[in-house]
Every structure is written in structure tokens, then in C-alpha cells.
Amino acid sequence: LASQIANFPEGQLLIELDGRIVAHAASVVLDADEYEDWHDWKTLSDDGRLTNHDPDGDTLYCVEIQVHPEFRGRRMARRLYEARKDLCRRMNLRRMALGGSLAAATKAPRARWAWMGLVVCSFLRSYVGWVRGSIVGLVALALCGQLVAFTVAHDAGHNALSTNRLVNVLGCYGILCVTSPHEWTLQHVLGHHLYPNVAGEDPDVVHVDRYKTRMLPAWLPKWCDVLLVWSVAVPVGLTTLAPLRVLLRGVYPGSSVPAGLDGKVVVHVLGRLLHLGAFFAWPFFSKDYSLAGAAAWVFAPAALGSLVFMAVTQIAHLLEETLGEQTPTATFYATQIANSCNFATDSAVVALLTGGLNQQVEHHAFPTVHHAHLPALAPIVKATCDAHGVPYHEAPSMTAGLAKHLD
């Protein structure tokens, strides 16, 4: 700040309120012809010090703007921008230039927040309906629960929802219909994303061995075994058995990811018990249900939600063409891309309802980018893969992806 004031005091603006500095804006004058079209913030501002200020320049470059959290929403930034415009006129400069944060540009667009709000409200309404004994509520709970997981929690778990850490942390709780935020981090972020399709590291790969074993009578088609696995994978595997194994073994099952529960065991257990009570236990204590009725009322939405969850997630990785792509010489990004498969990328409806999980290739390459931006990245990623001989897998539709998975 001292360097900014020393080099260009007129360009350093602030707003004072009741003796407190509540907002600040820094600017510098540059000769635009001395800089290339492609430049960065550090170059144009000399890493914020403004030692490159040129009194004879023609462009007012807006370096940074800050508003105290307690005073945001009061148009402080707008006032500072108007003051910058006045400064630009007084100095008879040719233009005022500014850039935006690339990190912020990769997060959820404003239009998606309304959609996410609708999804969350629909889930809460469906839960109330389910508790009150509504069949519509039961079906809606299964579907809306997965919709929250896909459109909110998944991006939040990768810090792709917002640049605000607290927003991402809160968004992670949308995964409650599947598992806890902590275990989702172990299973998905640290296991699956770091080692996609690597046996012993990616927990999802265990399903491959399950598909090879016949669990139902031989006269039934093989896909019946797949549906059986899919219907119990979430309620039995992710929600119930995985937390117990994490506590007992200290690592997430199917991987080498440590539990990371030091000092948090009590809170974690209480959270899991609260989740089990809200989604599994309460009907058994209600006078409105028999034992069989309570079991059916609990398992029906859990199984339906599990089927939806597995149908969307498994076809993106567990395919004959993607399994085995891991090689010792492959780079990290080549491994991520070669072990993933897009599906139905031309369908805006599929993209909206799956939270962009149909764009797995780009998601694995750029997990911290919100799914709304992935379609724009796809042509770049595909061209790069073609140029470097990296397999780029995609299925034209969701049904085609399911067919590949079942084969």
C-alpha cells in the first residue's frame, strides 16, 4: 500500500465512514502500447506495487478493489468505479481497463444459483411429503435427493461452486442422501479423482469384481445382477458399511485414503447417527407403519435414489474402453482423461439434471471448474487430446453409455 501511494497517490481511492476506512481501490497509469494483448495482473501492476506507473501513459488500469465485509451490498464498489471514471476524465486518458478474477469466472454463474435454490427447496418439500406418508413425496425424495447431490454437492466438494470456502462447505451437505461430506471427500475427491480406475485406490473399481460374480439365479439376465448392485450400493455401501469400515480400519474401503478423523470421531459418529435417524430409523418408531411397512418406506426411496446415482456415475468410468488406461508412463492429466467418458453432451436436459456429470472428461481435467463451463472447454480438450494421442471417450447418448457399461 505504501508503494502504491508513493508511485501514484491520485489513483489510490478510499471510502471513509465514521472514521473507518471501509473500501479501497488501487489504479495505475500505463502506456498500453508497451504491453502485449496477452498479459497478466502481476505484469500490469508490478505485483501490486505500481512501480511501473507511467505519468505519460494513456490507460488507467484498475489494479484492485476491496470492500470491508460488513459494508458490502451498499454500492461501495460502484462509487469507487465512478471515482475512477472521474479520475480518467481529469487526466484526459484514452481508456480505463480492468480484468476479472479467473478463479471467480470458473465458479457457478448467477443463473445457476436460482436453479440450485429451486432444487434444494424441492428436496426439502419432498422430504416433508415423505415424512407425511405421501407416495409422491417418496418418489420425489429419491429424485430430488440425487439432484441436490449432482447439481450442488458435487461441485461444492471440488470447491467449484464458489470462491467462498464457507459456501462450498455448506454446499457439501447436499450429499447427505448419499453419504457424509467427510466420507464423500475420502471416497470421491481423494480416492476416485486422484486414481480413476486404479484398483486398490479408486473405491469405484470394486464394482467391477461384483459384476463378475453371479448373485442371482443363472437363468436371469446378467443386467439383473447390475441392478441389484445399483439398488443397494448407496444405502448399504456408501451410507452404512463404508462409515463403519472407516472407523474400524482407519482407511476408506477400496483405497489407501486415511480416515482423517483425528479428534473428530465423536462429531462424525453423531452426524452419521443423525443422518440415519432422519432417513432410515424414524418410520420404525412410528405407529403408522408396521415393521414391513417401515422397511419398505425406508428402502424404496433409498433404492430408487441409488439406482439413479449409479446410472449416472458408473457409465462415466467403468467401461471396457476406459478400464486399463492407467500406465506407468502416462501423465496425470492423460490418465484422468483416458479413464473417463462423456455421454449425451449435446443434451442440455441431461447436463442440467446430472449437474454436468455427463462431461466427465473435462470435469476430471478441471475439477475446480463449475460444470456450467465444461461444454466450452470440451472442444479445447478434445483438440489437445487429438494433438497428443490421448484417448478421448464419449457416448452419443445416456442409453448408449448404459449399453457400453452393461456390455
Side-chain angles (χ1 to χ4, degrees):
L1 185 58
S3 178
Q4 292 176 349
I5 295 173
N7 287 292
F8 183 34
E10 299 89 346
Q12 316 320 308
L13 309 173
L14 60 84
I15 297 177
E16 184 178 348
L17 185 63
D18 297 329
R20 298 177 63 187
I21 296 177
V22 298
H24 161 258
S27 305
V28 64
V29 175
L30 306 171
D31 184 346
D33 292 335
E34 294 182 1
Y35 296 87
E36 298 179 359
D37 291 337
W38 288 96
H39 48 253
D40 55 51
W41 179 87
K42 286 188 176 183
T43 300
L44 293 183
S45 68
D46 189 29
D47 205 12
R49 293 185 293 268
L50 312 189
T51 57
N52 56 335
H53 171 64
D54 183 356
D56 299 322
D58 61 357
T59 301
L60 182 71
Y61 179 68
C62 303
V63 175
E64 60 188 1
I65 191 165
Q66 304 169 50
V67 178
H68 192 285
E70 294 179 11
F71 297 90
R72 289 172 185 168
R74 301 188 187 183
R75 299 186 176 182
M76 300 288 184
R78 176 177 293 184
R79 291 182 173 90
L80 288 171
Y81 272 111
E82 290 300 325
R84 279 171 165 169
K85 291 178 183 178
D86 290 339
L87 176 64
C88 195
R89 295 188 188 100
R90 291 199 309 270
M91 297 186 69
N92 196 30
L93 299 177
R94 184 178 180 184
R95 65 174 72 85
M96 185 173 78
L98 64 149
S101 166
L102 181 60
T106 63
K107 307 310 176 186
R110 289 184 179 180
R112 291 302 175 100
W113 287 99
W115 168 244
M116 287 187 284
L118 177 62
V119 168
V120 171
C121 289
S122 298
F123 167 70
L124 295 175
R125 181 65 184 88
S126 66
Y127 181 82
V128 172
W130 176 61
V131 171
R132 291 178 176 176
S134 166
I135 294 293
V136 174
L138 182 152
V139 176
L141 178 69
L143 301 180
C144 292
Q146 299 309 315
L147 198 55
V148 172
F150 295 157
T151 61
V152 180
H154 180 250
D155 278 316
H158 290 288
N159 291 311
L161 206 58
S162 169
T163 55
N164 188 308
R165 179 179 178 276
L166 180 59
V167 172
N168 289 316
V169 170
L170 293 175
C172 285
Y173 283 88
I175 203 69
L176 283 178
C177 276
V178 179
T179 184
S180 74
H182 179 80
E183 281 159 1
W184 181 248
T185 300
L186 301 181
Q187 192 273 349
H188 183 72
V189 180
L190 300 179
H192 170 66
H193 262 267
L194 289 181
Y195 304 100
N197 290 359
V198 179
E201 295 293 348
D202 181 358
D204 287 346
V205 178
V206 298
H207 296 306
V208 175
D209 293 331
R210 292 191 179 116
Y211 296 151
K212 294 177 181 178
T213 304
R214 290 308 308 257
M215 293 167 284
L216 296 174
W219 53 269
L220 286 172
K222 181 60 181 175
W223 57 263
C224 291
D225 285 324
V226 175
L227 291 181
L228 176 61
V229 172
W230 284 10
S231 64
V232 300
V234 171
V236 177
L238 287 175
T239 304
T240 308
L241 294 182
L244 291 175
R245 291 172 178 170
V246 167
L247 287 174
L248 295 174
R249 301 177 183 177
V251 296
Y252 196 89
S255 75
S256 62
V257 179
L261 289 174
D262 297 339
K264 304 176 184 177
V265 173
V266 174
V267 175
H268 182 69
V269 170
L270 289 176
R272 302 313 300 137
L273 291 176
L274 180 63
H275 173 265
L276 291 173
F279 289 94
F280 291 92
W282 71 265
F284 292 95
F285 297 93
S286 172
K287 297 179 181 180
D288 298 330
Y289 300 97
S290 63
L291 183 62
W297 199 249
V298 165
F299 186 72
L304 178 57
S306 186
L307 286 169
V308 173
F309 177 85
M310 296 294 283
V312 171
T313 59
Q314 300 306 289
I315 65 176
H317 295 285
L318 299 187
L319 311 171
E320 185 175 352
E321 63 197 63
T322 57
L323 289 170
E325 293 288 358
Q326 171 80 17
T327 64
T329 58
T331 65
F332 176 80
Y333 284 102
T335 299
Q336 294 291 324
I337 292 171
N339 282 291
S340 305
C341 182
N342 290 346
F343 59 91
T345 55
D346 292 332
S347 173
V349 174
V350 172
L352 189 67
L353 297 181
T354 63
L357 291 176
N358 63 324
Q359 207 92 41
Q360 280 292 302
V361 173
E362 289 70 33
H363 168 60
H364 267 255
F366 304 99
T368 60
V369 174
H370 187 266
H371 69 263
H373 306 295
L374 298 181
L377 292 173
I380 301 172
V381 174
K382 191 170 185 178
T384 303
C385 289
D386 290 341
H388 295 276
V390 176
Y392 185 97
H393 305 295
E394 54 186 334
S397 65
M398 190 166 184
T399 53
L402 286 169
K404 285 187 175 185
H405 177 71
L406 293 175
D407 286 343

